Structure formats: C-alpha cells, structure tokens
Amino acid sequence: MFSPSQEEHCAPNKEPVKYGELVVLGYNGSLPNGDRGRRKSRFALYKRPKANGVKPSTVHVISTPQASKAISCKGQHSISYTLSRNQTVVVEYTHDKDTDMFQVGRSTESPIDFVVTDTISGTQNNDETQITQSTISRFACRIVCDRSPPYTARIFAAGFDSSKNIFLGEKAAKWKNPDGHMDGLTTNGVLVMHPKGGFTEESKPGVWREISVCGDVYTLRETRSAQQRGKLVENETNVLQDGSLIDLCGATLLWRTADGLFHTPTQKHIEALRQEINAARPQCPVGLNTLAFPSINRKDVVEEKQPWAYLSCGHVHGYHNWGHRSDTEANERECPMCRTIGPYVPLWLGCEAGFYVDAGPPTHAFTPCGHVCSEKSAKYWSQIPLPHGTHAFHAACPFCATQLSGEHNCIKLIFQGPID
C-alpha cells in the first residue's frame, strides 16, 4: 500500500523492514497544502541501513556551566539536567547497535525525522490560519525501535537537538530516582494512551499517561506544564502498541504497527466502498436526483451531486436551500422527511485508512463535521477523549479534528435508493 521513502537505501529486491507508521489526527489523507518532505500527515518508520540508536553510559555531576558545555560539545549524545546555577548532571549516551531512533518535533533541523505542526480543527483548516505561538516542542519526542524481531517500539519525551543534546533547564520538572538515575518531563509533556484490546472492532479507550525523558510512565500532572510530576505507574511501560495515541500538546499522533496496518483496509478498499455506494445510485428523497460521493482527490470541494445530511436524524439529501429555522442559526434546518431540526452539512468520505478499526461500509457520519466512515470506527473515535489545550479533553473527528457533539457524537445515515 505504501512505498518506502526515497531515503531508504535498501538491498535490491529486498523489502525493508517496516516498524510502523505515525498518522497525525485531523488530516484526511494529506496536509491541506499537500505532503512535502518531512512535513506530511503520516510518517513510515523503516529499519535504517545502519543503527543510529543510543543508550545511557557515563554520568557526570558538574559544578560549572563551562564544564557541562565541554561535555555536551564532545560530539556525543547527552542529556543535561540543570539542578541549580552551580550543579548540572550530564548523562552521556553511547551508540546502541541494536536500535534505531526516530525523532518527532516542530523543528525543521536535521535531527527531526518527522516535522509536526499544530493541528487546526475542522473548518478553520486553511492557509490563512496562523498559529501565533505553538505549544509543540521543537524536539518533542523520540521513538526507539529494536532492530530485531518483534521490532518493539518505545517512546521517550524530548529529542536530541543539532548538537546532540537534550537540555532540561532549571524550571523543567526533574528528579533523581531511588536507583540514582536522573529523569524529567518536557514543558508541555508527551502524553500517551494505549487502547484496551488493541486497535480492533472491540477496542475501548485506555487511560492517558505522561512519558518521561527516560521513558517511565506517570499519571498526568494537574495541568500540562505544572511543576509537580504525577505518580509513577510501575505496571505500565512506554512500549507502543497498535492504536497507541501520542499527544504533543498541539497535535495528536496515532501509532500503527506494521502488522496492524496489514489488517487495516487500504486506500483501494475505501475507494471500492465509495464506488459501491455510488453504484447503488442513492437519491435525494425530495429532488429525486442521484447522489455521489466525490473522488478521494476531490475531497475538499463541494460538488453538485454531493450527498448532504441532517445530522439529528441521519436522512441523506442532495443540496437544497430551504428548511431554515431562523436567521441567526444559519445551519439549523428542518428535515423534510421527519421534521427533525438540526445541522445540515455536506458528507465527506473518511479517506485516511489508518483511522479505520475495521473494513465495514461507510454508514455513519461524525457530528457536526459530516465525515463518513464505518460504524465501528465512528463509535470507537466517538468515545476517545483527546487532549485539548492544557487540561481539557474531548472527542474529535480523526479526519478533521473538529470537536464532536450531538447525542452520540455520530449518526447512522439513512440513504434512499433509486425509485425506478
């Protein structure tokens, strides 16, 4: 389904090992201006030609800033924990031949493999919307994958910068663990949620946790940037599972394992479902004109045959300009079929295959955005509390990041078949 990126120099005719993919929530298959280079809506992690992982080695306790600079300038990876003006602990990292490291963040500097920017929800997602100040860290997190089966992937807060250093300043939450090793949290934190039951039709939301710089798991702080860390959760790990969600405070990423993607519907399958719906020639029950979902590459332009739906009842129509209830509520319309009042919106097919928990037909729409996907996928995302701002959580459409509303956050669509 997906081709390896250009930078993979693999042995001829040999498929590179794929660890998994990161898919950014809020994009229906590609960024609004198109995917370019390291800035895209999804990022595949492949086994590197040569291992680039690192592991902790020597620890230095330093009393002068000059000495800590000297250590971090040695060309070796290191993490500096500033405890006070005259004490810094520097942990040097050494090469690890058994792991590959991938870094995610807002910075476009070369150590970042996947450049992630703030997700603007739903209708505001256009070129004019400028984020005045991003809450995503420049070097947000790193994912470390074992180079041998089962290719376990682990997540750690913070990434190494261009000088191969992670620097936790005086104000960052940091501490010494009982076994003596230093650890800390980034300013706005890296949150992870592992779903219960994997990423399947039976999945249920898990509990959001915070991941430390060294990969330990903690309960959430009171707010994203509070000084006080949460409690250590000893029976949980930083190992990513199929369907794990990673929140970087401004963007949420979904981790799909290679095996999970193997069992997920492909873009071709979604296209076949679209053609199947259109071949059934659904009709507008009022205008009696035939409706059709636009092709996947026309997913942002409302077309003449586009299906529209009343999201309070699910009746699908063609576009019409009547049924307004008041001048103030422009989008409150009365359904001509059942007289239910509610939002009336164009329907869009959910094109990002990674968000589907099953291969079922597109029968349900998220409210109020009108993105359509399978019943099980709609119900799964409808109950996931996604972080929003510094301490709120709410369910959102995975395809456009719009906050969900209505009785169940999604509605079953009622199509009328052709009369002839």
Side-chain angles (χ1 to χ4, degrees):
M1 177 186 170
F2 307 107
S3 56
S5 56
Q6 299 297 309
E7 51 267 20
E8 299 302 327
H9 308 294
C10 313
N13 305 325
K14 196 179 173 208
E15 274 292 302
V17 170
K18 184 179 194 172
Y19 297 130
E21 284 193 15
L22 290 168
V23 191
V24 189
L25 266 59
Y27 301 107
N28 195 8
S30 66
L31 298 184
N33 303 330
D35 291 350
R36 294 191 188 97
R38 292 174 295 152
R39 203 184 288 248
K40 45 195 167 186
S41 67
R42 55 162 53 205
F43 172 66
L45 284 69
Y46 290 96
K47 187 173 182 177
R48 296 189 185 273
K50 262 172 73 182
N52 74 331
V54 292
K55 56 189 176 186
S57 61
T58 325
V59 179
H60 305 269
V61 181
I62 290 150
S63 53
T64 66
Q66 288 75 19
S68 78
K69 270 210 179 101
I71 287 176
S72 57
C73 287
K74 276 168 58 177
Q76 219 171 337
H77 289 83
S78 66
I79 302 183
S80 308
Y81 301 88
T82 306
L83 302 180
S84 65
R85 251 177 221 173
N86 48 15
Q87 195 183 28
T88 300
V89 176
V90 179
V91 181
E92 283 191 310
Y93 277 63
T94 183
H95 176 67
D96 181 1
K97 65 178 181 11
D98 299 320
T99 62
D100 284 338
M101 180 170 70
F102 301 87
Q103 299 209 144
V104 181
R106 184 169 47 88
S107 170
T108 54
E109 289 179 33
S110 58
I112 295 294
D113 297 281
F114 186 29
V115 178
V116 175
T117 49
D118 294 70
T119 304
I120 313 295
S121 70
T123 49
Q124 308 160 308
N125 215 334
N126 58 35
D127 302 352
E128 286 81 65
T129 315
Q130 288 295 315
I131 292 286
T132 45
Q133 203 169 5
S134 176
T135 43
I136 300 174
S137 170
R138 294 175 64 244
F139 300 90
C141 69
R142 57 201 196 280
I143 292 171
V144 176
C145 302
D146 289 347
R147 286 173 64 85
S148 51
Y151 307 115
T152 305
R154 293 178 176 82
I155 183 164
F156 300 82
F160 294 100
D161 63 18
S162 297
S163 56
K164 299 183 177 177
N165 191 28
I166 291 172
F167 180 80
L168 292 178
E170 265 187 86
K171 288 185 180 168
K174 61 190 125 26
W175 59 91
K176 185 182 266 192
N177 281 308
D179 65 0
H181 85 262
M182 293 296 301
D183 203 351
L185 304 172
T186 54
T187 306
N188 288 322
V190 172
L191 309 189
V192 170
M193 188 200 81
H194 306 302
K196 292 175 188 157
F199 195 67
T200 66
E201 302 174 21
E202 311 308 321
S203 299
K204 292 278 179 283
V207 181
W208 282 99
R209 302 294 195 204
E210 180 161 12
I211 302 295
S212 73
V213 171
C214 294
D216 283 339
V217 181
Y218 287 85
T219 59
L220 301 189
R221 293 179 260 182
E222 271 188 31
T223 60
R224 287 299 282 251
S225 55
Q227 290 285 295
Q228 189 60 42
R229 71 179 189 267
K231 292 189 176 71
L232 179 67
V233 186
E234 297 196 38
N235 60 343
E236 293 180 25
T237 72
N238 63 337
V239 172
L240 293 173
Q241 307 162 15
D242 191 34
S244 291
L245 287 167
I246 301 162
D247 188 82
L248 305 177
C249 197
T252 308
L253 283 58
L254 171 70
W255 169 255
R256 298 302 314 269
T257 60
D259 185 55
L261 286 167
F262 185 73
H263 295 100
T264 292
T266 60
Q267 212 85 44
K268 268 190 184 154
H269 178 78
I270 293 171
E271 174 58 20
L273 290 173
R274 182 186 78 86
Q275 290 180 10
E276 205 174 301
I277 286 188
N278 291 352
R281 292 174 51 231
Q283 286 198 335
C284 172
V286 178
L288 301 181
N289 47 318
T290 303
L291 308 173
F293 277 98
S295 67
I296 283 172
N297 57 3
R298 300 273 299 162
K299 61 176 191 278
D300 299 319
V301 185
V302 179
E303 301 203 337
E304 200 183 336
K305 288 184 165 187
Q306 185 116 8
W308 286 61
Y310 287 89
L311 293 181
S312 292
C313 58
H315 280 113
V316 178
H317 290 256
Y319 178 72
H320 51 247
N321 199 20
W322 64 77
H324 290 281
R325 296 299 294 171
S326 69
D327 297 336
T328 49
E329 286 294 326
N331 207 22
E332 288 290 295
R333 303 273 198 101
E334 182 179 274
C335 172
M337 299 297 286
C338 66
R339 317 289 301 215
T340 307
I341 295 162
Y344 174 64
V345 300
L347 297 177
W348 304 99
L349 200 57
C351 305
E352 175 48 76
F355 297 146
Y356 282 75
V357 297
D358 69 339
T363 54
H364 283 62
F366 288 108
T367 58
C369 60
H371 277 103
V372 179
C373 63
S374 69
E375 176 180 9
K376 296 234 166 110
S377 300
K379 289 188 171 168
Y380 176 72
W381 288 104
S382 294
Q383 54 185 340
I384 296 277
L386 294 169
H388 180 72
T390 56
H391 51 265
F393 289 82
H394 59 60
C397 169
F399 302 106
C400 69
T402 298
Q403 182 173 344
L404 299 181
S405 61
E407 203 180 333
H408 302 292
N409 291 338
C410 63
I411 185 93
K412 184 179 186 347
L413 297 170
I414 305 165
F415 288 92
Q416 176 166 304
I419 288 174
D420 45 13

